[in-house]
Amino acid sequence: MSDQGVPMEKIDTSRPHPARMYDYYLGGQDNYAVDREAAQEIIDTAPDVVVGARANRDFLRRAVCFLVESGVRQIIDIGTGIPTSPNTHEIAHSVSKDVRVAYVDNDPIVGAHAGAQLLGSGHTGFFLGDMRDPASILQHPTIGELIDFDQPVALLLVSVLHFVRDDEDPGGMIAAYRDALPAGSHLVISHGTADFHREKVDEVAEIYKKKGVTANFSARSHSEVLAFFDGFDLIEPGLVQVSLWRPDTELDPDEVVRTGVYGAIGRKRCTTIERGTA
Ligand SMILES: C[S@@+](CC[C@H](N)C(=O)[O-])C[C@H]1O[C@@H](n2cnc3c(N)ncnc32)[C@H](O)[C@@H]1O
């Protein structure tokens, strides 16, 4: 067994892994020497990656607090990542104990770590699934147990959409989720961008490629990310760098400049019902 209690034979420690590298950026312990070495090379090249990862995580916290304080009681969190406290359900339950959270990730490494940390409460579930196949996610038995589609749902796609390439139609994918959710549901997105640091993003992508890290990264512009909210009204302040989204501590202007991640929450509009002809 590894020090995380995961069967060793399931863990490939011969090459760096994106979820474990992200864990390292966040100061976590669920990573191996090979991940730390690759992540450190990235940090040496673009220290802002750490600033962005931590700002993103803090956005997740504020977003979940906002949702639960607004009355949301069920959350689907796709692209969970290796558990990092406070996780979505811990944040939600700090506001209201009755929130149900379904976690989804397509990475068996995340699945191997999900156990005790994500499933402790009875109101949570985790399953392996690929967000690019909305039907298989929406029809999964764990979703059936935890989520009532007659009530508003919050769908979290936090720091995960940039792993979906344009030719995989991320807009169509989000529309499929949107159409399954009742009006009044919320969509939370955070997304990496090169709007502020084009060259650094290219350098980081180059290191990922060189190290054999298997993750496509599609940084997107403000207007491209905004288009994902089709059918949703944006909650104030709209789509902004995550540090600027309803900060609850004093803003560090240096952090804002260095954060290459956009974030927003949208609320699904009531669709217009066609008036029938008599
Ligand atoms: C950067 S982590 C984000 C973790 C967490 N949401 C956060 O913001 O702190 C991205 C996660 O998305 C997962 N992921 C990437 N592509 C995915 C897909 N097609 N379906 C489901 N999960 C995916 C990865 O395995 C990884 O755990």
Side-chain angles (χ1 to χ4, degrees), residues 81-96:
I82 291 173
T84 302
S85 215
N87 293 290
T88 298
H89 73 283
E90 293 165 327
I91 301 162
H93 291 168
S94 73
V95 182
S96 181

Side-chain angles (χ1 to χ4, degrees), residues 2-180:
S2 70
D3 52 355
Q4 291 90 13
V6 179
M8 279 304 284
E9 65 273 15
K10 291 201 170 159
I11 299 178
D12 177 4
T13 56
S14 66
R15 43 182 206 160
H17 186 278
R20 296 193 308 242
M21 288 170 67
Y22 181 71
D23 177 70
Y24 181 75
Y25 300 146
L26 292 175
Q29 305 294 320
D30 293 326
N31 47 68
Y32 292 86
V34 69
D35 309 307
R36 293 191 281 275
E37 192 197 312
Q40 196 55 52
E41 186 172 340
I42 301 270
I43 293 169
D44 293 343
T45 306
D48 296 354
V49 165
V50 173
V51 176
R54 294 185 180 172
N56 174 67
R57 200 70 201 177
D58 212 36
F59 164 74
L60 172 70
R61 176 186 62 76
R62 296 194 304 280
V64 171
C65 280
F66 171 85
L67 293 166
V68 180
E69 283 166 359
S70 308
V72 168
R73 290 295 176 267
Q74 33 183 13
I75 298 175
I76 304 175
D77 181 353
I78 304 184
T80 308
I82 291 173
T84 302
S85 215
N87 293 290
T88 298
H89 73 283
E90 293 165 327
I91 301 162
H93 291 168
S94 73
V95 182
S96 181
K97 294 276 180 233
D98 57 348
V99 181
R100 301 182 303 283
V101 180
Y103 289 107
V104 188
D105 203 288
N106 70 341
D107 190 328
I109 296 271
V110 174
H113 286 276
Q117 281 168 279
L118 296 182
L119 302 175
S121 85
H123 281 82
T124 58
F126 173 87
F127 61 96
L128 284 174
D130 193 314
M131 96 182 135
R132 292 167 295 184
D133 183 0
S136 74
I137 304 277
L138 293 165
Q139 290 160 17
H140 193 279
T142 301
I143 293 286
E145 280 161 28
L146 289 167
I147 305 295
D148 171 3
F149 285 100
D150 290 332
Q151 299 296 324
V153 177
L155 174 64
L156 270 51
L157 300 175
V158 177
S159 199
V160 60
L161 277 171
H162 40 234
F163 297 120
V164 182
R165 299 188 312 264
D166 285 345
D167 65 6
E168 295 174 311
D169 189 18
M173 179 194 86
I174 294 172
Y177 287 109
R178 179 199 62 210
D179 293 348

Side-chain angles (χ1 to χ4, degrees), residues 56 59 155-159 161 174 187-191 225-229 239-240 242 261-266:
N56 174 67
F59 164 74
L155 174 64
L156 270 51
L157 300 175
V158 177
S159 199
L161 277 171
I174 294 172
L187 171 66
V188 182
I189 290 177
S190 74
H191 198 299
V225 179
L226 198 57
F228 292 148
F229 286 95
L239 180 67
V240 292
V242 283
V261 186
Y262 284 125
I265 298 185

